Structures are given as structure tokens and as C-alpha cells.
């Protein structure tokens, strides 16, 4: 495992240089910095707790935009014949985002020691697992340049999708939050005053308003208990999802969520089919290709189930029949796999399947973006309508009472 070392030294201009670097031993750090013309005067290993701190969820991660830029640049340099080490060194020097620059520097050191790129990225720890599995497939199939270019396109598309969702949700979410705050302020401050006024004129309060006041009073008395209970429940669920069984159940649940589940299944099939196509096209046997493609599913539940299918295929069963045992594989995809097995062109059928489901996934995503805003607006309308309903009943009753008095 990589250790962190804090160092201080002088560069070729005589300037003092300080920093922190990851490597296996102190000697590796000194040799690497010497190549950069930095002479060390002091070096010390940092406490192992710093490695744990780097895994904290709120730490800044490498953005999809930066990942796209990195993979596009790496693909371009590999395509013109630049070696991996030279490409990483050049990109690291030109990269502006600090987090990505340091990550590339650490990967460069590991590749320099003889580690493959995928393992170096895995040890470094900041790159997404999907990109690591993809690079590993590229190294084994001999199509690393193609895989790296596809990763650039993938992260560029993911970044565009994220900004589309962000743009579509910004205004509705702002309206919802504002409406909720106004609604809560009305319930806590204005409604009790209004009901006191109504009580001074008449003894009766509308049943809906009375129940709402009783509910608010209950929340005020026991609010701290509900807060602690909700926090404990959320923490328990979070910790459970970090266990092996909990992770599988959580990802199984996500596959059955309306709209989101279908998008995840389509995404999973696109990358699984594309990876299987590349591996089969490189001459890798079907069983080995299936085992290497499992990581592209990015779903522990599906991976666990599919490993059993691979064992059955190894025992002589047909892949398409094994896929029929699971509901997460669409019937169309299973039929395409079966046709590929019959014709002996499973590689070509996987290419068609990945293109088909990629188009369907993009189309469904665009439809989801179009539907999000009206759905949120309807929610706001229901919230405002309920607030008006709560207000209008006491007002009408107050007006009737005043009319009777007059």
C-alpha cells in the first residue's frame, strides 16, 4: 500500500520546495524528486490516518469534465505513438485542476516502477472503478487507445447529462424550497394567531385546521426525538449499504425503482455488450471475456448473480438460457445473445446491442428531463393548494360568524 511522505528541499533555482507525496518507500520518493531536480533536506512519513481521511465522502473528487479532458488527451498522445510514461508526464504538466494533476503524478510514479496503468489507477484511488475496469480490458485486449477514447466520450456525455439535469431542476427546486419555507412559516407563526382570533369570535374551528394544529403541537413536543430517530435510521441504512449483503440489496432495489431502474439496466447492458464485443474481437475465449466483462456491470447484485451463470456456462449450459433466469436482462437483449450464439457472430450481435440500447438510453433520458419540470410544478401546485385550503376554511367560517353577528 502507498504511504504518504512529507518532504522539504531545494530545486535547481535554489528555491525551497515543500510537499506531500505517495509512494511505497522513502527511497522511491527521493529518487523520483531527484529526477525532477529537487534535492531533499528533510523527509518524514505521515501518520496512516491521512490515508483514511482521503476516503471521506465530502473530499473533492475529480470531476467528469476533468476526466473527459484527461482521457481525450491520453488517447490523442497514444494514437500518435507517444509512450505511456511520456504521455502521462506531458499531461501532468499541462493539467490545471490540482487534484487531477497530483493524481496523474502518482500514477506516473507507479507506471515508472513497472505497474500497468489500470493497477496504478486502482492503487492511486481517486479514479472511478468504471474507468479502471475499462483500462484493464483495453490492456488485455490490446485496444487501450480505443478504450481510452471511449472513456473520454463517456465522461463527456455524463458531464453533459449532469448539466442537463441540473439546468432542468434548478428553477423547480428553488420554487419548491421557497414554497416549503413559506408554508412552514405559515404553519408555525400565522396559523396559530389566526386560530386564536377565530376562537375569540367563535368556539368552533374547522376539523382539518384543528387536526393540523394538534399535529404541529405534537411535532413541537417530540421534534427532537424524531430528529434523532431519523438521523439514526439514515446512519444505519448508510452503514448497512457498506456491507457486502447490504450493497447487493441496495443495488437490487435501485434496479426496481421506476424510470431510474430502467436507465441503470440500459447503461449496464451498453457497457457490458461493448466490453464483450471488444474482448471477443481480440480473440479472447467467451468464458474469459465474460469474466473480464463482469466489472463493467457496476452493480454488485447483478455481478453476484451473473458469476453463477458463468459457472453454469463453464459446465456446458447456454449463455442466453442462463440470462433468462434473471429479470434484469431485457428479453430483447437475451434474444440478441441467443441469435449471436446460433449464427456464431456473438461479437457482431453485441455491437448491435450496445448501439441499440445506447440510443434507447439517450432517448429515455431526454424524456425524463422533459418530464421532470412539469412533475415538480404539479407538486408545487399541490403544496400551494393545500395551504390555500387550510386558510380558506377558517376565513369563510370567520366571515360567516361576522355576518351572523351583524
Amino acid at each position: 500500500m502507498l504511504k504518504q511522505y512529507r518532504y522539504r528541499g531545494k530545486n535547481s533555482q535554489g528555491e525551497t520546495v515543500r510537499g506531500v507525496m505517495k509512494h511505497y518507500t522513502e527511497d522511491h520518493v527521493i529518487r523520483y524528486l531527484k529526477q525532477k531536480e529537487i534535492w531533499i533536506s528533510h523527509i518524514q512519513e505521515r501518520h496512516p490516518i491521512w490515508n483514511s481521511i482521503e476516503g471521506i465522502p465530502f473530499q473533492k473528487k475529480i470531476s467528469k469534465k476533468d476526466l473527459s479532458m484527461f482521457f481525450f488527451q491520453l488517447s490523442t498522445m497514444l494514437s500518435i505513438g507517444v509512450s505511456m510514461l511520456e504521455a502521462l508526464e506531458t499531461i501532468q504538466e499541462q493539467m490545471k485542476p490540482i487534484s487531477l494533476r497530483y493524481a496523474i503524478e502518482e500514477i506516473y510514479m507507479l507506471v515508472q516502477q513497472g505497474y500497468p496503468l489500470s493497477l496504478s489507477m486502482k492503487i492511486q484511488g481517486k479514479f472511478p472503478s468504471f474507468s479502471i475496469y475499462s483500462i484493464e480490458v483495453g490492456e488485455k485486449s490490446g485496444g487501450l487507445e480505443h478504450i481510452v477514447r471511449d472513456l473520454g466520450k463517456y465522461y463527456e456525455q455524463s458531464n453533459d447529462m449532469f448539466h442537463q439535469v441540473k439546468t432542468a431542476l434548478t428553477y423547480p427546486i428553488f420554487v419548491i424550497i421557497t414554497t416549503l419555507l413559506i408554508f412552514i412559516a405559515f404553519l408555525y407563526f400565522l396559523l396559530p394567531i389566526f386560530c386564536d382570533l377565530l376562537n375569540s369570535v367563535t368556539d368552533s374551528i374547522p376539523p382539518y385546521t384543528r387536526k393540523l394544529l394538534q399535529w404541529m403541537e405534537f411535532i413541537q413536543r417530540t421534534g427532537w426525538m424524531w430528529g434523532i430517530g431519523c438521523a439514526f435510521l439514515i446512519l444505519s441504512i448508510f452503514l448497512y449499504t457498506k456491507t457486502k449483503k447490504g450493497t447487493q440489496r441496495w443495488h437490487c432495489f435501485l434496479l426496481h425503482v421506476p424510470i431510474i431502474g430502467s436507465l441503470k439496466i440500459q447503461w449496464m447492458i451498453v457497457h457490458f455488450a461493448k466490453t464483450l464485443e471488444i474482448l471477443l474481437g481480440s480473440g479472447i475465449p467467451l468464458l474469459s471475456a465474460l469474466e473480464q466483462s463482469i466489472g463493467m456491470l457496476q452493480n454488485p447484485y447483478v455481478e453476484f448473480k451473473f458469476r453463477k451463470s458463468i459457472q453454469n456456462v463453464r459446465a456446458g449450459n447456454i449463455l442466453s438460457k442462463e440470462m433468462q433466469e434473471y429479470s434484469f436482462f431485457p428479453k430483447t437483449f437475451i434474444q440478441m445473445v441467443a441469435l449471436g450464439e446460433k449464427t456464431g457472430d456473438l461479437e457482431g450481435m453485441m455491437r448491435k446491442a450496445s448501439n441499440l440500447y445506447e440510443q434507447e438510453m439517450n432517448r429515455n433520458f431526454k424524456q425524463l428531463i422533459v418530464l421532470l419540470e412539469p412533475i415538480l410544478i404539479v407538486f408545487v401546485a399541490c403544496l400551494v393548494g393545500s395551504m390555500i385550503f387550510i386558510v380558506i376554511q377558517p376565513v369563510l367560517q370567520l366571515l360567516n360568524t361576522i355576518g351572523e353577528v351583524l
Side-chain angles (χ1 to χ4, degrees):
M1 184 177 177
L2 292 178
K3 301 175 183 177
Q4 290 197 28
Y5 293 92
R6 183 188 294 276
Y7 65 85
R8 183 177 67 251
K10 299 277 186 179
N11 60 16
S12 56
Q13 285 79 35
E15 299 170 339
T16 302
V17 179
R18 292 183 177 85
V20 176
M21 184 173 292
K22 281 184 178 181
H23 222 305
Y24 287 102
T25 66
E26 185 178 305
D27 291 338
H28 283 110
V29 176
I30 294 173
R31 281 202 301 267
Y32 175 78
L33 292 173
K34 199 170 184 179
Q35 291 176 1
K36 296 287 184 179
E37 296 185 347
I38 297 175
W39 286 266
I40 301 300
S41 60
H42 174 76
I43 186 169
Q44 183 179 6
E45 181 183 348
R46 301 179 84 188
H47 195 279
I49 195 172
W50 288 101
N51 291 325
S52 302
I53 290 175
E54 288 193 344
I56 294 176
F58 54 74
Q59 190 191 28
K60 187 176 180 181
K61 296 181 180 179
I62 302 172
S63 67
K64 289 180 172 61
K65 181 181 177 181
D66 294 337
L67 285 170
S68 173
M69 181 172 56
F70 166 69
F71 286 120
F72 273 134
Q73 290 183 1
L74 184 59
S75 170
T76 301
M77 291 192 175
L78 292 177
S79 65
I80 61 177
V82 178
S83 69
M84 180 63 70
L85 276 174
E86 290 177 350
L88 289 173
E89 186 175 16
T90 303
I91 295 171
Q92 184 262 329
E93 291 172 353
Q94 297 176 352
M95 196 62 63
K96 291 183 180 179
I98 297 175
S99 58
L100 183 56
R101 188 167 70 237
Y102 286 157
I104 297 172
E105 185 178 4
E106 292 171 2
I107 290 172
Y108 173 83
M109 289 189 295
L110 292 167
V111 173
Q112 196 178 39
Q113 298 297 321
Y115 290 92
L117 179 61
S118 58
L119 183 57
S120 301
M121 292 169 66
K122 188 174 183 180
I123 293 172
Q124 198 280 327
K126 284 190 177 179
F127 282 81
S129 58
F130 175 74
S131 63
I132 296 171
Y133 282 119
S134 300
I135 295 293
E136 187 177 0
V137 168
E139 290 170 338
K140 291 179 179 178
S141 65
L144 182 60
E145 178 191 333
H146 175 69
I147 290 289
V148 171
R149 184 172 62 252
D150 284 349
L151 280 173
K153 293 178 182 178
Y154 166 73
Y155 284 111
E156 184 180 42
Q157 185 181 27
S158 298
N159 186 56
D160 291 341
M161 286 181 173
F162 171 75
H163 283 289
Q164 288 178 35
V165 173
K166 185 178 178 181
T167 303
L169 294 183
T170 299
Y171 176 71
I173 288 178
F174 173 77
V175 173
I176 287 176
I177 293 174
T178 305
T179 307
L180 282 172
L181 291 174
I182 294 172
F183 188 58
I184 292 170
F186 167 76
L187 292 179
Y188 270 86
F189 301 108
L190 294 181
L191 190 60
I193 296 172
F194 190 73
C195 289
D196 289 340
L197 176 62
L198 190 63
N199 272 328
S200 65
V201 179
T202 177
D203 293 333
S204 62
I205 296 177
Y208 292 108
T209 307
R210 185 186 300 110
K211 287 180 180 179
L212 183 61
L213 287 171
Q214 291 173 352
W215 178 76
M216 285 174 51
E217 187 180 350
F218 173 74
I219 291 295
Q220 287 177 343
R221 287 200 315 268
T222 61
W224 63 274
M225 295 175 60
W226 286 100
I228 293 174
C230 289
F232 179 76
L233 179 63
I234 293 171
L235 181 62
S236 300
I237 293 173
F238 174 77
L239 294 175
Y240 179 67
T241 56
K242 295 300 179 183
T243 62
K244 184 178 179 180
K245 192 174 183 180
T247 302
Q248 290 180 4
R249 288 188 174 181
W250 171 248
H251 282 85
C252 177
F253 167 75
L254 290 178
L255 291 178
H256 294 86
V257 175
I259 300 176
I260 295 175
S262 61
L263 283 174
K264 288 184 73 67
I265 289 173
Q266 289 162 4
W267 182 94
M268 185 174 64
I269 289 174
V270 167
H271 293 93
F272 173 75
K274 193 173 290 187
T275 304
L276 194 58
E277 174 213 339
I278 293 171
L279 292 171
L280 291 174
S282 303
I284 296 176
L286 177 60
L287 283 172
S288 299
L290 288 172
E291 290 174 346
Q292 294 173 28
S293 300
I294 286 180
M296 304 302 293
L297 296 170
Q298 294 290 290
N299 187 303
Y301 171 74
V302 177
E303 290 175 17
F304 174 74
K305 294 291 185 181
F306 198 62
R307 288 185 192 278
K308 294 182 179 179
S309 297
I310 294 177
Q311 292 175 0
N312 294 333
V313 172
R314 183 178 282 108
N317 291 356
I318 300 174
L319 177 61
S320 56
K321 289 186 177 179
E322 287 297 321
M323 287 182 169
Q324 292 175 1
E325 301 293 325
Y326 308 116
S327 60
F328 44 77
F329 284 117
K331 291 182 180 179
T332 306
F333 180 66
I334 296 173
Q335 289 172 355
M336 295 180 79
V337 173
L339 184 60
E341 290 174 326
K342 289 179 182 178
T343 59
D345 187 23
L346 187 58
E347 175 195 345
M349 201 55 65
M350 289 298 96
R351 186 186 309 112
K352 293 178 181 178
S354 64
N355 293 333
L356 173 66
Y357 280 96
E358 187 170 14
Q359 292 173 5
E360 186 177 347
M361 180 181 68
N362 292 334
R363 185 169 57 251
N364 291 341
F365 178 77
K366 289 177 181 178
Q367 291 175 353
L368 176 62
I369 293 297
V370 171
L371 288 173
L372 274 175
E373 190 168 349
I375 289 172
L376 292 174
I377 289 173
V378 169
F379 175 75
V380 172
C382 294
L383 194 63
V384 173
S386 62
M387 186 167 64
I388 292 173
F389 177 76
I390 293 169
V391 174
I392 203 72
Q393 269 200 329
V395 169
L396 290 175
Q397 187 164 347
L398 180 59
L399 291 175
N400 289 335
T401 304
I402 293 174
E404 291 174 1
V405 172
L406 294 176

